[in-house]
PDB file of all heavy atoms in Angstrom:
ATOM      1  N   ARG A  12      17.835  22.143  25.879  1.00 72.00           N
ATOM      2  CA  ARG A  12      17.289  20.791  25.941  1.00 72.00           C
ATOM      3  C   ARG A  12      15.833  20.778  25.479  1.00 72.00           C
ATOM      4  O   ARG A  12      15.413  19.920  24.720  1.00 72.00           O
ATOM      5  CB  ARG A  12      17.378  20.267  27.376  1.00 72.00           C
ATOM      6  CG  ARG A  12      16.943  18.834  27.487  1.00 72.00           C
ATOM      7  CD  ARG A  12      17.011  18.319  28.894  1.00 72.00           C
ATOM      8  NE  ARG A  12      18.327  18.557  29.455  1.00 72.00           N
ATOM      9  CZ  ARG A  12      18.610  18.510  30.753  1.00 72.00           C
ATOM     10  NH1 ARG A  12      17.657  18.255  31.611  1.00 72.00           N
ATOM     11  NH2 ARG A  12      19.809  18.735  31.199  1.00 72.00           N
ATOM     12  N   GLU A  36      -0.359   2.779   1.221  1.00 42.00           N
ATOM     13  CA  GLU A  36      -0.599   2.922  -0.214  1.00 42.00           C
ATOM     14  C   GLU A  36      -0.946   1.574  -0.798  1.00 42.00           C
ATOM     15  O   GLU A  36      -0.431   0.560  -0.385  1.00 42.00           O
ATOM     16  CB  GLU A  36       0.657   3.473  -0.903  1.00 42.00           C
ATOM     17  CG  GLU A  36       0.765   4.957  -0.788  1.00 42.00           C
ATOM     18  CD  GLU A  36       1.933   5.506  -1.572  1.00 42.00           C
ATOM     19  OE1 GLU A  36       2.418   4.829  -2.502  1.00 42.00           O
ATOM     20  OE2 GLU A  36       2.370   6.598  -1.233  1.00 42.00           O
ATOM     21  N   GLY A  37      -1.821   1.582  -1.781  1.00 40.00           N
ATOM     22  CA  GLY A  37      -2.223   0.335  -2.392  1.00 40.00           C
ATOM     23  C   GLY A  37      -3.482  -0.226  -1.786  1.00 40.00           C
ATOM     24  O   GLY A  37      -3.926  -1.286  -2.169  1.00 40.00           O
ATOM     25  N   GLY A  50      -2.455 -17.570 -19.550  1.00 92.00           N
ATOM     26  CA  GLY A  50      -1.755 -18.637 -20.237  1.00 92.00           C
ATOM     27  C   GLY A  50      -2.647 -19.483 -21.140  1.00 92.00           C
ATOM     28  O   GLY A  50      -2.338 -20.631 -21.417  1.00 92.00           O
ATOM     29  N   TRP A  72      -6.593  -9.067 -20.468  1.00 96.00           N
ATOM     30  CA  TRP A  72      -6.720 -10.256 -21.293  1.00 96.00           C
ATOM     31  C   TRP A  72      -5.342 -10.832 -21.590  1.00 96.00           C
ATOM     32  O   TRP A  72      -4.484 -10.185 -22.167  1.00 96.00           O
ATOM     33  CB  TRP A  72      -7.422  -9.909 -22.602  1.00 96.00           C
ATOM     34  CG  TRP A  72      -8.915  -9.931 -22.562  1.00 96.00           C
ATOM     35  CD1 TRP A  72      -9.727 -10.791 -23.249  1.00 96.00           C
ATOM     36  CD2 TRP A  72      -9.801  -9.067 -21.848  1.00 96.00           C
ATOM     37  NE1 TRP A  72     -11.052 -10.525 -22.981  1.00 96.00           N
ATOM     38  CE2 TRP A  72     -11.132  -9.459 -22.124  1.00 96.00           C
ATOM     39  CE3 TRP A  72      -9.617  -7.995 -20.973  1.00 96.00           C
ATOM     40  CZ2 TRP A  72     -12.240  -8.846 -21.585  1.00 96.00           C
ATOM     41  CZ3 TRP A  72     -10.731  -7.381 -20.417  1.00 96.00           C
ATOM     42  CH2 TRP A  72     -12.024  -7.789 -20.723  1.00 96.00           C
ATOM     43  N   GLY A  84     -26.137  -5.967 -13.150  1.00 88.00           N
ATOM     44  CA  GLY A  84     -25.511  -4.668 -13.371  1.00 88.00           C
ATOM     45  C   GLY A  84     -24.870  -4.571 -14.739  1.00 88.00           C
ATOM     46  O   GLY A  84     -24.891  -5.505 -15.534  1.00 88.00           O
ATOM     47  N   GLY A  95      -4.045  -8.836 -24.858  1.00 95.00           N
ATOM     48  CA  GLY A  95      -3.490  -7.490 -24.833  1.00 95.00           C
ATOM     49  C   GLY A  95      -4.497  -6.419 -24.480  1.00 95.00           C
ATOM     50  O   GLY A  95      -4.132  -5.297 -24.144  1.00 95.00           O
ATOM     51  N   GLU A 110     -20.944 -11.286  -9.208  1.00 96.00           N
ATOM     52  CA  GLU A 110     -20.503 -12.443  -9.982  1.00 96.00           C
ATOM     53  C   GLU A 110     -20.467 -12.102 -11.465  1.00 96.00           C
ATOM     54  O   GLU A 110     -21.225 -11.262 -11.947  1.00 96.00           O
ATOM     55  CB  GLU A 110     -21.440 -13.617  -9.717  1.00 96.00           C
ATOM     56  CG  GLU A 110     -21.402 -14.046  -8.262  1.00 96.00           C
ATOM     57  CD  GLU A 110     -22.349 -15.198  -7.951  1.00 96.00           C
ATOM     58  OE1 GLU A 110     -23.263 -15.474  -8.760  1.00 96.00           O
ATOM     59  OE2 GLU A 110     -22.178 -15.798  -6.886  1.00 96.00           O
ATOM     60  N   CYS A 113     -17.374 -15.461 -18.361  1.00 96.00           N
ATOM     61  CA  CYS A 113     -16.973 -15.280 -19.745  1.00 96.00           C
ATOM     62  C   CYS A 113     -18.052 -16.006 -20.546  1.00 96.00           C
ATOM     63  O   CYS A 113     -18.160 -17.231 -20.467  1.00 96.00           O
ATOM     64  CB  CYS A 113     -15.595 -15.875 -20.014  1.00 96.00           C
ATOM     65  SG  CYS A 113     -15.163 -15.899 -21.765  1.00 96.00           S
ATOM     66  N   GLY A 120     -16.689 -23.431 -17.098  1.00 93.00           N
ATOM     67  CA  GLY A 120     -16.400 -23.010 -15.725  1.00 93.00           C
ATOM     68  C   GLY A 120     -15.628 -21.716 -15.606  1.00 93.00           C
ATOM     69  O   GLY A 120     -15.045 -21.442 -14.557  1.00 93.00           O
ATOM     70  N   SER A 133      -8.276  -7.541   3.549  1.00 43.00           N
ATOM     71  CA  SER A 133      -7.871  -7.984   4.871  1.00 43.00           C
ATOM     72  C   SER A 133      -8.971  -8.771   5.585  1.00 43.00           C
ATOM     73  O   SER A 133      -8.684  -9.515   6.501  1.00 43.00           O
ATOM     74  CB  SER A 133      -7.487  -6.773   5.737  1.00 43.00           C
ATOM     75  OG  SER A 133      -8.607  -5.947   5.930  1.00 43.00           O
ATOM     76  N   ALA A 151      12.537  -0.819  12.373  1.00 90.00           N
ATOM     77  CA  ALA A 151      13.973  -0.574  12.246  1.00 90.00           C
ATOM     78  C   ALA A 151      14.257   0.904  11.999  1.00 90.00           C
ATOM     79  O   ALA A 151      15.171   1.484  12.604  1.00 90.00           O
ATOM     80  CB  ALA A 151      14.565  -1.431  11.134  1.00 90.00           C
ATOM     81  N   THR A 153      12.377   3.486  12.795  1.00 91.00           N
ATOM     82  CA  THR A 153      12.065   4.259  14.006  1.00 91.00           C
ATOM     83  C   THR A 153      13.186   4.100  15.032  1.00 91.00           C
ATOM     84  O   THR A 153      13.609   5.079  15.666  1.00 91.00           O
ATOM     85  CB  THR A 153      10.721   3.806  14.586  1.00 91.00           C
ATOM     86  OG1 THR A 153       9.710   3.976  13.592  1.00 91.00           O
ATOM     87  CG2 THR A 153      10.357   4.616  15.821  1.00 91.00           C
ATOM     88  N   TYR A 164      21.758  14.445  20.647  1.00 84.00           N
ATOM     89  CA  TYR A 164      21.556  15.163  21.907  1.00 84.00           C
ATOM     90  C   TYR A 164      22.791  15.060  22.795  1.00 84.00           C
ATOM     91  O   TYR A 164      23.234  16.041  23.375  1.00 84.00           O
ATOM     92  CB  TYR A 164      20.329  14.614  22.649  1.00 84.00           C
ATOM     93  CG  TYR A 164      20.152  15.257  23.999  1.00 84.00           C
ATOM     94  CD1 TYR A 164      19.653  16.548  24.098  1.00 84.00           C
ATOM     95  CD2 TYR A 164      20.520  14.598  25.152  1.00 84.00           C
ATOM     96  CE1 TYR A 164      19.505  17.171  25.336  1.00 84.00           C
ATOM     97  CE2 TYR A 164      20.393  15.203  26.387  1.00 84.00           C
ATOM     98  CZ  TYR A 164      19.884  16.483  26.473  1.00 84.00           C
ATOM     99  OH  TYR A 164      19.765  17.083  27.691  1.00 84.00           O
ATOM    100  N   TYR A 169      27.035  17.553  25.620  1.00 79.00           N
ATOM    101  CA  TYR A 169      28.341  17.380  26.253  1.00 79.00           C
ATOM    102  C   TYR A 169      29.507  17.691  25.337  1.00 79.00           C
ATOM    103  O   TYR A 169      30.662  17.594  25.732  1.00 79.00           O
ATOM    104  CB  TYR A 169      28.474  15.958  26.802  1.00 79.00           C
ATOM    105  CG  TYR A 169      27.420  15.659  27.829  1.00 79.00           C
ATOM    106  CD1 TYR A 169      26.348  14.845  27.531  1.00 79.00           C
ATOM    107  CD2 TYR A 169      27.488  16.241  29.096  1.00 79.00           C
ATOM    108  CE1 TYR A 169      25.367  14.582  28.463  1.00 79.00           C
ATOM    109  CE2 TYR A 169      26.502  15.981  30.042  1.00 79.00           C
ATOM    110  CZ  TYR A 169      25.455  15.153  29.715  1.00 79.00           C
ATOM    111  OH  TYR A 169      24.485  14.905  30.647  1.00 79.00           O
ATOM    112  N   ALA A 177      45.885  15.333  28.609  1.00 56.00           N
ATOM    113  CA  ALA A 177      46.094  14.036  29.230  1.00 56.00           C
ATOM    114  C   ALA A 177      47.167  14.186  30.280  1.00 56.00           C
ATOM    115  O   ALA A 177      48.313  13.842  30.099  1.00 56.00           O
ATOM    116  CB  ALA A 177      46.464  13.003  28.197  1.00 56.00           C
TER     117      ALA A 177
END
Side-chain angles (χ1 to χ4, degrees):
R12 185 181 307 163
E36 278 185 22
W72 274 245
E110 297 179 343
C113 171
S133 64
T153 302
Y164 176 75
Y169 300 105

